[in-house]
């Protein structure tokens, strides 16, 4: 199971709370220096998994190795990992400097050395001179940075982050995402990051594990998760997706095909077709992979439909195009390259052509 | 999430044992009173000499006990009703209106909790005697009112704090006038607090001794009667029997009051855990 | 608000003013000599008996407070952190005895500690001793034990509330940053529960310094406290002005001790931080 470059290795881990199974046979490896995200809706088990890494939850079965060491018998205060809590858990009775230096107690450093390390940390999180501030004088973003500094000062092998940006407003969150990513590159520590925000996960991560119902659905890089999701659940969790039922038609040529509802007999590269001829599959197409044109395009394959609904979003517009043979309309996202007059480039009810590249088609197993 | 704090909250056996011992030590001393009240011997000592209802039967025939009991009930009922009404008024004002020095006011109301009872007792005694008011059950009631008010306010405050004023506004918006709004919205919401406050203040007044000691005239309350009997060793068994009855009734009333008073409030808290 | 406030003012403020006034008078037969004099205060200061009584009262109350808070803290901690179901039940169980008559609870200890009480007669029946242990009753220890037992609920509630309020993720954060259970307790839990500890100390120390029931029933000559002396002035000795003076002196000392205590705890907290 464990590959040679695995820094954290989670092997067949299960967790039960009473009769409720929070983690269902999870196995995965996290590499050293990686920014790794656990992504899923609330209740999917991602926080439980993170808390297992920290040692706050025990495993019901299975084993977790950190840097080659089994962790089952190691209590949280002896693990080489530190955590940034969702609520930040800044100690209210201590000032900023004492919060940051909290974990240094055991190292028995001189006062001067400690102050120097704290100052270094404050520099790193861009809050120099904040040492004497009281905990209740801090804004949300500042608390978040101090929680980071407090964990990083101990040079942990792994930093665990439990939705650390969830409590911040949108603008600050986007800024903190950039800073967090830069910080991780700077310190080179493995980050395990829990989030329910798919955009955040895509922006920050080297790799993402998509979780649902206590199981890991797919572990991949952001682009592979987006472009080649392995299941319908993953595909619909990350970004928007149009799904079509279809049947595989291999017809012996270099290009395979799928007979799909509403699209007809569409070409699909053979290497994307693993199922035998006649098998039932699902094909998936992202809204932005469609080209929406007024006139029949010069493409291998195109179909005609009617704009059922349109929404203007500034840089792009969303269209819902109804086609014959498919009940729900196809979602299409088009960049507004030209200046748009009125609601959208394609008026409601207008007949339009849809085309796409055969490479854009994702073939999934049928449900 | 319900799974928070598993490491912090994992079972702690020694602490659990300590908690059980603590509860035992808390209750056992009080339980000796009913135990010896069924003892045949006139002396309160081991070994027990046989089971009897004699002391209870004897109580039944004593007129001073009945008088003292009725005195206590009269004072307790009046104090309970008045302190609860005043408590409702105060709790409503404290939670509803913004006013300067609010926290100072609350501190003032709660003061009897942290001032030695004896000082209140003698201060009231001095005041009453200077005003020429004779010591009666009314003066005892006044003393008890001051002791009970902080408890009434403390019981009612959480109810009013958990009460969203926009609900009263919604009722008004839906066409109910002030009286009906109070009756259909406010009262049902705070009702458990009111019941709890009535029961608690009654119990406190019923059991109160320190103030009563200074403010009682010729009509004794039940605790005053007991205090008087404590001087006579031969009366010990009947005092024990009487005390057992009082303890029993107090336990029931308070248990019920606590239960009602926390109804609804704790369910929210428990969910938050 | 206003009726409540009016009652409280009449019940608290006015009596205190009268008490203060009368403390500057002197006894004159069965009436008062109303000429202003500080004689009572001079006596209270110069006669060693008053100082000794005050000192003993504060000593007994102080020890009782310390014992109560130390014993109740683990209990409150247990319920706050380790009880997940039926929390309400536990809280009611812990506080229930408190609502029953103070007099009866003290009486219960007399039954236990008495010359022929539960402990002595029990030990004699078992044959461990053949003479009753005399130090049990009528001693400072008896008073301290009884006070600690009687006031336990007053300590538990504020301790529990302050512990329950602590965000559990702070404890996890401390653990995560390398603290074992002991270090975590002294660096996080204890400092954050200090408000509860302080409140508990006040809620026990202040009322117990003025207590006179417990010393009267269990204290004997060595266990008499200032409360007994004040009571005597209003009773048998019949020197009300002196009693008023002692009440005022007691209040002043309590305030002074409370302020010093607050100051020290604040300094200590700064030091820990």
């Amino acid at each position: 199971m464990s590959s040679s470059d695995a820094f954290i290795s989670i092997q067949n881990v299960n967790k039960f709370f009473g009769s409720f199974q929070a983690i269902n046979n999870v196995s995965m490896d996290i590499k050293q220096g990686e920014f790794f995200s656990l992504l899923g809706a609330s209740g999917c088990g991602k926080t439980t998994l993170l808390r297992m890494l920290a040692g706050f939850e025990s495993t019901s079965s299975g084993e977790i190795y950190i840097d080659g060491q089994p962790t089952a018998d190691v209590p949280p205060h002896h693990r080489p990992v530190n955590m940034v809590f969702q609520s930040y858990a800044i100690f209210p009775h201590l000032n900023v400097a004492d919060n940051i230096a909290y974990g240094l107690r055991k190292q028995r450093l001189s006062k001067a050395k400690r102050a120097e390390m704290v100052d270094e940390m404050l520099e790193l999180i861009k809050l120099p001179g904040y040492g004497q501030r009281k905990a209740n004088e801090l804004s949300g973003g500042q608390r978040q940075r101090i929680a980071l500094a407090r964990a990083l000062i101990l040079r942990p092998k792994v930093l665990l982050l439990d939705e650390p940006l969830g409590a911040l407003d949108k603008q600050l969150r986007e800024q903190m995402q950039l800073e967090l990513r830069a910080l991780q590159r700077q310190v080179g520590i493995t980050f395990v990051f829990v989030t329910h925000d798919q955009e955040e996960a895509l922006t920050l991560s080297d790799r993402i594990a998509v979780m649902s119902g206590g199981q890991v659905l797919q572990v991949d890089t952001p682009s592979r998760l987006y472009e080649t999701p392995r299941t319908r659940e993953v595909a619909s969790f990350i970004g928007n997706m149009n799904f079509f039922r279809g049947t595989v038609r291999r017809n012996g040529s270099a290009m395979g095909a799928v007979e799909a509802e509403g699209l007809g007999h569409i070409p699909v590269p053979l290497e994307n077709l693993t199922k035998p001829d006649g098998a039932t599959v699902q094909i998936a197409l992202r809204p932005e992979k469609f080209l929406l044109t007024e006139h029949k395009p010069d493409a291998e394959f195109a179909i005609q439909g009617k704009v059922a609904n349109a929404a203007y979003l500034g840089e792009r517009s969303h269209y819902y195009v109804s086609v014959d043979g498919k009940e729900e309309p196809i979602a299409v996202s088009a960049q507004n390259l030209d200046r748009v007059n009125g609601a959208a480039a394609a008026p409601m009810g207008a007949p339009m052509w849809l085309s796409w590249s055969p490479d854009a088609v994702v073939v999934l197993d049928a449900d | 999430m319900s799974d928070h704090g598993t490491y912090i909250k994992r079972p702690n056996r020694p602490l659990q044992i300590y908690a059980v011992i603590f509860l035992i030590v808390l209750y056992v001393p009080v339980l000796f009173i009913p135990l010896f009240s069924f003892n045949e011997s006139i002396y309160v000592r081991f070994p027990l000499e046989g089971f009897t209802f004699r002391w209870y039967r004897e109580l039944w025939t004593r007129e001073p006990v009945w008088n003292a009991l009725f005195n206590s009930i009269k004072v307790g009922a009046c104090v309970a009703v008045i302190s609860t009404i005043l408590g409702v008024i105060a709790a409503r004002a404290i939670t509803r209106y913004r006013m300067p020095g609010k926290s100072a006011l609350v501190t003032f109301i709660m003061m009897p909790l942290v001032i030695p009872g004896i000082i209140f007792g003698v201060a009231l005694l001095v005041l009453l005697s200077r005003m020429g008011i004779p010591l009666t059950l009314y003066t005892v009631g006044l003393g008890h009112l001051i002791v009970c008010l902080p408890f009434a306010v403390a019981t009612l405050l959480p109810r009013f704090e958990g009460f969203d004023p926009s609900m009263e506004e919604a009722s008004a918006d839906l066409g109910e006038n002030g009286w009906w709004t109070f009756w259909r919205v406010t009262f049902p919401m705070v009702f458990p607090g009111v019941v709890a406050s009535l029961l608690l203040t009654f119990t406190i007044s019923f059991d109160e001794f320190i103030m009563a000691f200074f403010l009682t005239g010729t009509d004794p309350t039940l605790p005053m009667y007991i205090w008087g009997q404590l001087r006579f060793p031969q009366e010990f068994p009947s005092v024990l029997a009487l005390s057992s009855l009082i303890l029993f009734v107090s336990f029931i009333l308070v248990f019920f009051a606590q239960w009602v008073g926390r109804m609804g409030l704790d369910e929210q808290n428990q969910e938050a855990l | 608000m206003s009726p409540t406030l009016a009652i409280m003012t009449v019940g608290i403020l006015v009596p205190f003013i009268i008490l203060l006034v009368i403390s500057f008078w002197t006894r004159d037969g069965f009436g008062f000599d109303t000429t202003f004099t500080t004689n009572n205060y001079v006596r209270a200061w110069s006669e060693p008996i008053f100082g000794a009584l005050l000192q003993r009262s504060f000593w007994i109350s102080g020890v009782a407070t310390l014992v109560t808070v130390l014993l109740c803290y683990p209990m409150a901690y247990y319920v706050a952190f380790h009880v997940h179901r039926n929390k309400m039940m536990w809280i009611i169980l812990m506080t229930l005895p408190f609502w029953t008559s103070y007099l009866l609870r003290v009486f219960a200890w007399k039954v236990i500690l008495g010359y022929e009480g539960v402990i002595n007669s029990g030990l004699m029946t078992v044959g461990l001793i053949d003479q009753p242990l005399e130090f049990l009753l009528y001693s400072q220890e008896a008073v301290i034990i009884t006070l600690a037992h009687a006031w336990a609920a007053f300590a538990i509630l504020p301790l529990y509330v302050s512990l329950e309020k602590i965000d559990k993720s702070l404890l996890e954060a401390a653990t995560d940053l390398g603290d074992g259970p002991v270090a975590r307790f002294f660096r996080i839990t204890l400092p954050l529960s200090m408000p509860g500890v302080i409140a508990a100390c006040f809620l026990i120390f202040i009322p117990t310094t003025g207590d006179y029931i417990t010393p009267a029933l269990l204290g004997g000559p060595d266990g008499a406290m200032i409360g007994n002396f004040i009571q005597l002035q209003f009773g048998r000795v019949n020197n009300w002005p002196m009693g008023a003076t002692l009440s005022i002196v007691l209040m002043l000392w309590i305030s002074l001790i409370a302020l010093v205590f607050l100051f020290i705890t604040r300094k200590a907290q700064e030091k820990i931080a």
Side-chain angles (χ1 to χ4, degrees), chain B residues 3 21 23 59 62 77 84-85 90 107 119-120 131-132 134-135 139 152 192 212 214 216 230 247 262 264:
Chain B
D3 53 330
I21 294 175
L23 279 186
L59 273 186
R62 276 199 206 186
T84 301
I85 292 173
T107 314
I119 292 184
F120 264 114
M131 288 167 72
L135 297 178
T139 54
F214 290 101
T216 304
L230 282 180
L247 284 175
R262 288 166 192 276

Side-chain angles (χ1 to χ4, degrees), chain A residues 35-259:
Chain A
F35 198 122
F36 191 91
S37 291
L38 300 171
L39 174 65
S42 80
C44 73
K46 57 190 192 298
T47 299
T48 305
L49 195 60
L50 191 79
R51 290 170 58 78
M52 283 175 158
L53 291 174
F56 294 127
E57 307 287 354
S58 56
T59 54
S60 298
S61 68
E63 186 57 271
I64 297 174
Y65 295 87
I66 296 176
D67 198 12
Q69 303 296 316
T71 59
D73 299 324
V74 185
H77 54 285
H78 289 144
R79 293 196 182 196
V81 303
N82 287 113
M83 185 145 161
V84 174
F85 288 80
Q86 189 169 13
S87 62
Y88 310 140
I90 302 296
F91 302 124
H93 59 302
L94 304 177
N95 65 21
V96 168
D98 288 334
N99 259 288
I100 293 178
Y102 189 90
L104 296 176
R105 180 182 62 100
K106 279 190 191 154
Q107 299 181 17
R108 307 221 174 276
L109 304 168
S110 70
K111 252 190 178 165
K113 173 71 183 155
R114 231 169 61 161
E116 188 194 315
M117 286 175 76
V118 168
D119 284 344
E120 240 170 64
M121 263 352 239
L122 285 169
E123 205 70 50
L124 182 75
I125 58 167
K126 303 200 179 89
L127 289 175
Y130 272 66
Q132 296 311 310
R133 292 282 179 105
K134 290 209 180 111
N136 57 13
E137 292 169 357
L138 302 168
S139 70
Q142 289 168 345
R143 285 167 166 268
Q144 200 261 332
R145 289 169 206 227
I146 288 153
L148 262 173
R150 187 174 71 177
L152 286 174
I153 199 168
L154 301 176
R155 309 250 165 250
K157 289 179 175 168
V158 183
L159 186 71
L160 308 170
L161 303 103
D162 185 7
E163 304 227 17
L165 307 178
L168 307 179
D169 63 49
K170 190 169 184 291
Q171 220 170 351
L172 188 57
R173 191 161 66 225
E174 280 167 6
Q175 185 200 335
M176 287 307 300
Q177 284 174 6
L178 293 176
E179 285 187 21
L180 203 57
R181 186 73 239 229
L183 189 70
Q184 194 261 342
R185 293 214 174 93
Q186 200 179 335
V187 296
I189 290 172
T190 309
F191 278 31
V192 180
F193 184 90
V194 158
T195 180
H196 66 271
D197 183 335
Q198 40 123 341
E199 216 172 297
E200 191 167 280
L202 294 177
T203 315
L204 286 169
S205 318
D206 292 319
R207 285 195 307 147
I208 299 169
V210 181
M211 294 186 68
S212 174
Q215 284 175 303
V216 171
L217 303 176
Q218 187 171 351
V219 183
D220 239 323
T221 61
S223 62
R224 285 185 56 84
L225 271 181
Y226 188 80
E227 303 293 352
T228 56
R230 235 184 281 145
T231 64
R232 180 168 176 157
E233 212 175 342
V234 174
S236 51
F237 191 76
I238 297 176
N240 288 321
M241 191 66 110
N242 294 295
F243 295 100
F244 308 84
R245 275 190 300 279
T247 314
V248 175
R249 299 276 180 253
R250 283 187 174 267
N251 36 306
S253 66
M255 186 61 100
V258 173
E259 181 82 43

Side-chain angles (χ1 to χ4, degrees), chain A residues 233-296:
Chain A
E233 212 175 342
V234 174
S236 51
F237 191 76
I238 297 176
N240 288 321
M241 191 66 110
N242 294 295
F243 295 100
F244 308 84
R245 275 190 300 279
T247 314
V248 175
R249 299 276 180 253
R250 283 187 174 267
N251 36 306
S253 66
M255 186 61 100
V258 173
E259 181 82 43
E261 54 159 357
L263 299 179
H265 197 76
I266 60 162
V268 176
L270 265 184
E271 66 262 29
N272 292 352
L273 275 180
T274 52
K275 296 276 171 174
D277 197 44
T280 311
V281 291
Q282 268 187 109
I283 70 165
L285 269 162
R286 296 270 180 210
E288 73 278 7
K289 306 293 182 194
F290 289 101
L291 190 63
L292 190 67
T293 49
E294 209 174 322
H295 305 290
K296 189 170 195 293

